[in-house]
Coordinates of all heavy atoms in Angstrom, one line a residue:
M1 N 142.1 184.8 165.1 CA 142.9 185.3 166.2 C 143.1 184.2 167.2 O 142.1 183.5 167.6 CB 142.2 186.6 166.8 CG 143.1 187.4 167.7 SD 142.3 188.9 168.4 CE 141.6 189.7 167.0
N2 N 144.3 184.1 167.7 CA 144.5 183.1 168.7 C 144.3 183.6 170.1 O 144.0 184.8 170.3 CB 146.0 182.5 168.6 CG 147.0 183.6 168.8 OD1 146.8 184.5 169.6 ND2 148.1 183.5 168.1
D3 N 144.4 182.7 171.1 CA 144.0 183.1 172.5 C 144.9 184.3 173.0 O 144.5 185.2 173.7 CB 144.2 182.0 173.5 CG 143.1 180.9 173.3 OD1 142.0 181.3 172.7 OD2 143.2 179.8 173.7
K4 N 146.2 184.2 172.7 CA 147.2 185.2 173.1 C 146.8 186.6 172.5 O 146.8 187.6 173.1 CB 148.6 184.8 172.8 CG 149.6 185.8 173.4 CD 151.0 185.3 173.2 CE 152.0 186.2 173.8 NZ 153.4 185.8 173.7
A5 N 146.5 186.6 171.2 CA 146.1 187.8 170.5 C 144.8 188.3 171.1 O 144.6 189.5 171.3 CB 146.0 187.5 169.0
D6 N 143.8 187.4 171.4 CA 142.6 187.9 172.1 C 142.9 188.6 173.4 O 142.3 189.6 173.7 CB 141.7 186.7 172.3 CG 141.0 186.2 171.1 OD1 140.8 187.1 170.1 OD2 140.5 185.1 171.0
Q7 N 143.8 188.0 174.2 CA 144.1 188.6 175.5 C 144.8 189.9 175.3 O 144.5 190.9 176.0 CB 145.0 187.6 176.3 CG 144.3 186.4 176.8 CD 145.3 185.4 177.4 OE1 146.5 185.5 177.3 NE2 144.8 184.4 178.1
T8 N 145.7 190.0 174.4 CA 146.4 191.3 174.2 C 145.4 192.3 173.7 O 145.5 193.5 174.1 CB 147.5 191.1 173.1 OG1 148.4 190.1 173.6 CG2 148.3 192.3 172.9
S9 N 144.6 192.0 172.7 CA 143.6 193.0 172.2 C 142.7 193.5 173.2 O 142.3 194.6 173.2 CB 142.9 192.4 171.0 OG 142.0 191.4 171.4
A10 N 142.3 192.6 174.2 CA 141.4 193.1 175.3 C 142.1 194.1 176.2 O 141.4 194.9 176.8 CB 141.0 191.9 176.1
Q11 N 143.4 194.2 176.2 CA 144.1 195.1 177.1 C 144.4 196.4 176.4 O 144.7 197.4 177.0 CB 145.4 194.5 177.5 CG 145.3 193.3 178.3 CD 146.6 192.5 178.6 OE1 147.6 192.9 178.0 NE2 146.5 191.4 179.3
L12 N 144.2 196.5 175.1 CA 144.5 197.7 174.3 C 143.4 198.7 174.5 O 142.2 198.3 174.5 CB 144.7 197.4 172.8 CG 145.9 196.5 172.5 CD1 145.9 196.2 171.0 CD2 147.2 197.2 172.9
K13 N 143.7 200.0 174.5 CA 142.7 201.0 174.5 C 142.2 201.4 173.2 O 141.1 201.9 173.0 CB 143.3 202.2 175.3 CG 143.6 202.0 176.7 CD 144.0 203.2 177.4 CE 144.2 202.9 178.9 NZ 144.7 204.0 179.7
T14 N 143.0 201.2 172.2 CA 142.6 201.6 170.8 C 142.8 200.4 169.9 O 143.8 199.7 170.0 CB 143.5 202.7 170.3 OG1 143.3 203.9 171.1 CG2 143.0 203.1 168.9
Q15 N 141.8 200.1 169.1 CA 141.8 198.9 168.2 C 141.3 199.4 166.8 O 140.5 200.2 166.8 CB 141.0 197.8 168.7 CG 141.5 197.2 170.0 CD 140.7 196.0 170.5 OE1 140.3 195.2 169.7 NE2 140.4 195.9 171.8
I16 N 141.8 198.7 165.8 CA 141.4 199.1 164.4 C 140.9 197.8 163.8 O 141.6 196.7 163.9 CB 142.6 199.6 163.6 CG1 143.1 200.9 164.3 CG2 142.2 199.9 162.2 CD1 144.3 201.5 163.6
E17 N 139.8 197.9 163.1 CA 139.2 196.8 162.4 C 139.0 197.2 160.9 O 138.3 198.2 160.7 CB 137.9 196.4 163.0 CG 137.1 195.3 162.3 CD 135.8 195.0 163.0 OE1 135.4 195.8 163.9 OE2 135.1 194.1 162.5
A18 N 139.4 196.4 160.0 CA 139.2 196.7 158.6 C 137.9 196.0 158.2 O 137.8 194.8 158.3 CB 140.3 196.2 157.7
L19 N 136.9 196.8 157.8 CA 135.6 196.2 157.3 C 135.7 195.7 155.9 O 136.3 196.4 155.1 CB 134.5 197.2 157.4 CG 134.1 197.6 158.9 CD1 132.8 198.5 158.8 CD2 133.9 196.4 159.8
T20 N 135.2 194.6 155.6 CA 135.1 194.1 154.2 C 134.5 195.1 153.3 O 133.4 195.6 153.6 CB 134.4 192.7 154.1 OG1 135.0 191.8 155.0 CG2 134.4 192.2 152.7
N21 N 135.2 195.5 152.3 CA 134.6 196.5 151.3 C 134.2 197.8 151.9 O 133.3 198.5 151.4 CB 133.4 195.9 150.5 CG 133.7 194.6 149.9 OD1 134.9 194.3 149.5 ND2 132.7 193.7 149.8
G22 N 134.9 198.2 153.0 CA 134.5 199.4 153.7 C 135.6 200.1 154.4 O 136.8 199.8 154.2
P23 N 135.3 200.9 155.4 CA 136.3 201.7 156.1 C 137.1 200.9 157.2 O 136.8 199.8 157.4 CB 135.4 202.8 156.8 CG 134.2 202.1 157.1 CD 133.9 201.2 155.9
L24 N 138.1 201.6 157.7 CA 138.7 201.2 158.9 C 138.0 201.7 160.1 O 137.7 202.9 160.2 CB 140.2 201.7 159.0 CG 141.2 201.2 158.0 CD1 142.5 201.9 158.1 CD2 141.4 199.7 158.1
L25 N 137.5 200.8 161.0 CA 136.9 201.3 162.2 C 137.9 201.4 163.3 O 138.7 200.4 163.6 CB 135.8 200.3 162.6 CG 134.6 200.3 161.7 CD1 133.5 199.3 162.3 CD2 134.0 201.6 161.5
V26 N 138.0 202.5 163.9 CA 139.0 202.7 165.0 C 138.2 202.8 166.3 O 137.3 203.7 166.4 CB 139.8 204.0 164.8 CG1 140.9 204.1 165.9 CG2 140.5 204.0 163.5
Y27 N 138.4 201.9 167.2 CA 137.7 201.9 168.5 C 138.6 202.5 169.6 O 139.8 202.0 169.7 CB 137.3 200.5 168.9 CG 136.5 199.8 167.9 CD1 137.0 198.9 167.0 CD2 135.1 199.9 167.9 CE1 136.3 198.2 166.1 CE2 134.3 199.3 167.0 CZ 134.9 198.4 166.1 OH 134.1 197.7 165.2
G28 N 138.2 203.5 170.3 CA 139.0 204.1 171.3 C 139.2 205.6 171.1 O 138.7 206.2 170.2
S29 N 140.0 206.1 171.9 CA 140.3 207.6 171.9 C 141.5 207.8 170.9 O 142.5 207.1 170.9 CB 140.7 208.1 173.2 OG 139.6 208.0 174.1
L30 N 141.3 208.9 170.1 CA 142.4 209.2 169.2 C 142.3 210.7 168.8 O 141.2 211.3 168.9 CB 142.4 208.4 167.9 CG 141.3 208.5 167.0 CD1 141.7 208.1 165.6 CD2 140.2 207.5 167.4
L31 N 143.4 211.3 168.5 CA 143.5 212.7 168.1 C 143.8 212.7 166.6 O 144.8 212.1 166.2 CB 144.6 213.4 168.8 CG 144.7 214.9 168.5 CD1 143.4 215.7 169.0 CD2 145.9 215.5 169.2
I32 N 142.9 213.3 165.8 CA 143.1 213.3 164.3 C 143.5 214.8 163.9 O 142.7 215.7 164.3 CB 141.9 212.9 163.6 CG1 141.6 211.4 163.9 CG2 142.0 213.1 162.1 CD1 140.4 210.8 163.3
K33 N 144.5 214.9 163.2 CA 144.9 216.2 162.7 C 144.7 216.2 161.2 O 145.3 215.4 160.5 CB 146.4 216.5 163.0 CG 146.9 217.9 162.7 CD 148.2 218.1 163.4 CE 149.2 218.6 162.4 NZ 150.5 218.8 163.0
D34 N 143.8 217.1 160.6 CA 143.5 217.0 159.2 C 144.5 217.8 158.4 O 145.5 218.3 159.0 CB 142.1 217.5 159.0 CG 141.9 219.0 159.2 OD1 142.9 219.8 159.3 OD2 140.7 219.4 159.3
K35 N 144.3 217.9 157.1 CA 145.3 218.5 156.2 C 145.5 220.0 156.5 O 146.5 220.5 156.1 CB 144.9 218.3 154.7 CG 143.6 219.0 154.4 CD 143.2 218.7 153.0 CE 141.9 219.4 152.7 NZ 141.4 219.1 151.3
N36 N 144.5 220.6 157.1 CA 144.7 222.0 157.5 C 145.3 222.3 158.9 O 145.4 223.4 159.3 CB 143.3 222.7 157.4 CG 142.7 222.6 156.0 OD1 143.4 222.8 155.0 ND2 141.4 222.3 155.9
G37 N 145.6 221.2 159.5 CA 146.2 221.3 160.9 C 145.1 221.3 162.0 O 145.5 221.4 163.1
E38 N 143.9 221.2 161.6 CA 142.8 221.2 162.6 C 142.8 219.9 163.3 O 142.8 218.8 162.7 CB 141.4 221.5 161.9 CG 140.3 221.7 162.9 CD 139.0 222.0 162.2 OE1 139.0 222.7 161.2 OE2 138.0 221.5 162.7
K39 N 142.7 219.9 164.6 CA 142.7 218.7 165.4 C 141.3 218.4 165.9 O 140.6 219.3 166.3 CB 143.7 218.9 166.6 CG 145.1 219.0 166.2 CD 146.0 219.3 167.4 CE 147.4 219.5 167.0 NZ 148.2 219.9 168.2
R40 N 141.0 217.1 165.9 CA 139.7 216.6 166.4 C 140.0 215.5 167.3 O 140.7 214.5 167.0 CB 138.8 216.2 165.3 CG 138.4 217.3 164.4 CD 137.3 216.8 163.5 NE 137.4 217.4 162.2 CZ 136.7 217.2 161.2 NH1 135.7 216.3 161.3 NH2 136.8 217.8 160.1
L41 N 139.4 215.5 168.5 CA 139.5 214.4 169.4 C 138.3 213.5 169.2 O 137.1 213.9 169.3 CB 139.5 214.9 170.9 CG 139.7 213.9 172.0 CD1 141.0 213.1 171.8 CD2 139.6 214.6 173.3
K42 N 138.5 212.2 169.0 CA 137.4 211.2 168.8 C 137.5 210.2 170.0 O 138.6 209.8 170.3 CB 137.6 210.5 167.5 CG 137.7 211.4 166.3 CD 136.4 212.2 166.1 CE 135.5 211.4 165.2 NZ 134.3 212.2 164.8
N43 N 136.4 210.0 170.6 CA 136.4 209.1 171.8 C 135.7 207.8 171.7 O 135.9 207.0 172.6 CB 135.8 209.9 173.0 CG 136.7 211.0 173.5 OD1 137.8 210.8 173.7 ND2 136.2 212.2 173.5
K44 N 135.0 207.6 170.7 CA 134.2 206.3 170.6 C 134.7 205.5 169.3 O 135.9 205.2 169.3 CB 132.7 206.5 170.6 CG 132.3 207.1 171.9 CD 130.8 207.2 171.9 CE 130.3 207.7 173.3 NZ 128.9 208.0 173.3
T45 N 133.8 205.3 168.4 CA 134.2 204.6 167.2 C 134.3 205.5 166.0 O 133.4 206.3 165.8 CB 133.2 203.5 166.9 OG1 133.0 202.6 168.0 CG2 133.6 202.7 165.6
T46 N 135.4 205.5 165.3 CA 135.6 206.4 164.2 C 135.8 205.6 162.9 O 136.6 204.6 162.9 CB 136.9 207.3 164.4 OG1 136.7 207.9 165.7 CG2 137.1 208.3 163.3
A47 N 135.1 205.9 161.8 CA 135.3 205.2 160.6 C 136.2 206.1 159.7 O 135.9 207.2 159.3 CB 133.9 205.0 159.9
L48 N 137.4 205.5 159.3 CA 138.3 206.2 158.4 C 138.2 205.6 157.0 O 138.2 204.4 156.9 CB 139.7 206.0 159.0 CG 140.0 206.6 160.4 CD1 141.4 206.4 160.8 CD2 139.7 208.1 160.3
C49 N 138.2 206.5 156.0 CA 138.1 206.0 154.6 C 139.4 205.3 154.2 O 140.5 205.8 154.5 CB 137.9 207.3 153.8 SG 137.8 206.9 152.0
R50 N 139.2 204.2 153.5 CA 140.3 203.5 152.9 C 140.1 203.3 151.4 O 140.8 202.6 150.8 CB 140.7 202.3 153.7 CG 139.7 201.1 153.6 CD 140.3 199.9 154.4 NE 139.3 198.9 154.3 CZ 139.6 197.6 153.9 NH1 140.8 197.3 153.6 NH2 138.7 196.7 153.9
C51 N 138.9 203.8 150.9 CA 138.7 203.6 149.5 C 139.1 204.8 148.6 O 139.3 204.7 147.4 CB 137.2 203.4 149.2 SG 136.2 204.9 149.4
G52 N 139.3 205.9 149.3 CA 139.8 207.1 148.6 C 138.7 208.0 148.0 O 138.9 209.0 147.4
H53 N 137.4 207.6 148.2 CA 136.3 208.3 147.5 C 135.5 209.2 148.5 O 134.6 209.9 148.0 CB 135.3 207.3 146.9 CG 136.0 206.6 145.7 ND1 136.1 207.2 144.5 CD2 136.5 205.4 145.6 CE1 136.7 206.3 143.7 NE2 137.0 205.2 144.3
S54 N 135.8 209.2 149.7 CA 135.1 210.1 150.7 C 135.2 211.5 150.4 O 136.3 212.0 150.0 CB 135.5 209.8 152.1 OG 134.9 210.7 153.0
N55 N 134.2 212.3 150.5 CA 134.2 213.8 150.4 C 134.5 214.4 151.8 O 134.4 215.6 151.9 CB 132.9 214.3 149.8 CG 132.9 214.0 148.3 OD1 133.9 214.2 147.6 ND2 131.7 213.5 147.9
N56 N 134.7 213.6 152.8 CA 134.9 214.1 154.2 C 136.2 213.4 154.8 O 136.1 213.0 155.9 CB 133.7 213.8 155.0 CG 133.8 214.5 156.4 OD1 134.4 215.5 156.5 ND2 133.2 213.9 157.4
K57 N 137.2 213.2 153.9 CA 138.4 212.6 154.4 C 139.0 213.3 155.6 O 138.9 214.5 155.7 CB 139.5 212.5 153.3 CG 139.1 211.6 152.2 CD 140.2 211.6 151.1 CE 139.7 210.9 149.9 NZ 138.9 211.7 149.0
P58 N 139.5 212.6 156.6 CA 139.9 211.2 156.5 C 138.7 210.3 156.9 O 138.9 209.1 157.1 CB 141.0 211.1 157.5 CG 140.7 212.1 158.6 CD 140.1 213.2 157.8
F59 N 137.6 210.8 157.1 CA 136.4 210.0 157.6 C 135.7 209.4 156.4 O 135.6 209.9 155.3 CB 135.5 210.9 158.4 CG 136.2 211.6 159.6 CD1 136.5 212.9 159.5 CD2 136.6 210.9 160.7 CE1 137.1 213.6 160.5 CE2 137.2 211.5 161.7 CZ 137.5 212.9 161.6
C60 N 135.1 208.3 156.7 CA 134.2 207.6 155.7 C 132.9 208.3 155.7 O 132.3 208.6 156.7 CB 134.0 206.1 156.2 SG 132.8 205.2 155.2
D61 N 132.4 208.5 154.5 CA 131.1 209.1 154.3 C 130.1 208.2 153.6 O 129.0 208.6 153.1 CB 131.1 210.5 153.6 CG 131.6 210.4 152.2 OD1 131.8 209.3 151.7 OD2 131.6 211.4 151.5
G62 N 130.5 206.9 153.4 CA 129.7 205.9 152.8 C 129.9 205.9 151.3 O 129.2 205.0 150.6
A63 N 130.8 206.7 150.7 CA 131.0 206.7 149.3 C 131.6 205.4 148.8 O 131.5 205.1 147.6 CB 131.9 207.8 148.9
H64 N 132.1 204.6 149.6 CA 132.7 203.3 149.2 C 131.6 202.4 148.6 O 131.9 201.6 147.7 CB 133.4 202.6 150.4 CG 132.5 202.3 151.5 ND1 132.3 203.2 152.6 CD2 131.7 201.2 151.8 CE1 131.5 202.7 153.5 NE2 131.1 201.5 153.0
V65 N 130.4 202.5 149.0 CA 129.3 201.7 148.5 C 129.0 202.0 147.0 O 129.0 201.2 146.2 CB 128.0 201.9 149.3 CG1 126.9 201.1 148.7 CG2 128.2 201.4 150.8
K66 N 128.9 203.3 146.8 CA 128.6 203.8 145.4 C 129.8 203.5 144.5 O 129.6 203.3 143.3 CB 128.3 205.3 145.5 CG 127.2 205.7 144.5 CD 126.9 207.2 144.7 CE 125.6 207.6 144.1 NZ 125.2 208.9 144.3
S67 N 131.0 203.6 145.0 CA 132.2 203.4 144.1 C 132.5 202.0 143.8 O 133.3 201.7 143.0 CB 133.4 204.1 144.8 OG 133.8 203.3 145.9
G68 N 131.8 201.1 144.5 CA 132.0 199.6 144.3 C 133.4 199.2 144.9 O 133.9 198.2 144.4
F69 N 133.8 199.8 145.9 CA 135.1 199.5 146.6 C 135.1 198.0 147.1 O 134.1 197.7 147.8 CB 135.4 200.4 147.7 CG 136.6 200.2 148.5 CD1 137.9 200.3 147.9 CD2 136.6 199.8 149.8 CE1 139.0 200.1 148.6 CE2 137.7 199.5 150.6 CZ 139.0 199.7 150.0
E70 N 136.1 197.2 146.7 CA 136.1 195.8 147.1 C 137.5 195.5 147.6 O 138.4 195.6 146.8 CB 135.7 194.9 146.0 CG 134.2 195.0 145.6 CD 133.8 193.9 144.6 OE1 134.6 193.1 144.2 OE2 132.6 194.0 144.2
V71 N 137.6 195.1 148.8 CA 138.9 194.6 149.4 C 138.6 193.7 150.5 O 137.7 194.0 151.3 CB 139.8 195.7 149.9 CG1 140.9 195.2 150.7 CG2 140.3 196.5 148.7
Ligands
FES1 S1 135.7 203.7 153.0 FE1 133.8 204.7 153.2 S2 134.0 206.4 151.9 FE2 135.9 205.4 151.7

């Protein structure tokens, strides 16, 4: 990341980080609406599944480790 990107990211309220071989970490406040329309407000760090194997989608439940997800 360059200096300008560092300055911009410091000003954002929500940031997303892709972990190697793991979930997307979302830092900040967000409202998640699940497949049933149920809404959940998350205020700190949220791990979202990107391997497709979680039994608690859209959240990561650690299943990426067992499935051998690599990206
Ligand atoms: S990324 Fe963790 S269960 Fe899918």
Side-chain angles (χ1 to χ4, degrees):
M1 194 180 307
N2 60 35
D3 289 342
K4 188 173 182 176
D6 281 338
Q7 290 173 348
T8 301
S9 68
Q11 298 169 357
L12 297 174
K13 291 184 179 178
T14 302
Q15 296 183 39
I16 298 175
E17 176 184 5
L19 293 186
T20 302
N21 306 330
L24 292 175
L25 292 185
V26 183
Y27 303 96
S29 298
L30 64 153
L31 182 66
I32 296 179
K33 190 165 129 183
D34 70 17
K35 65 182 179 184
N36 300 318
E38 186 176 325
K39 295 177 183 174
R40 292 189 216 182
L41 182 61
K42 306 294 270 186
N43 288 310
K44 293 186 178 174
T45 303
T46 305
L48 298 177
C49 177
R50 67 179 179 126
C51 75
H53 294 283
S54 174
N55 287 315
N56 189 30
K57 292 181 191 81
F59 305 103
C60 170
D61 68 356
H64 58 272
V65 176
K66 219 175 194 177
S67 72
F69 178 67
E70 291 185 5
V71 167

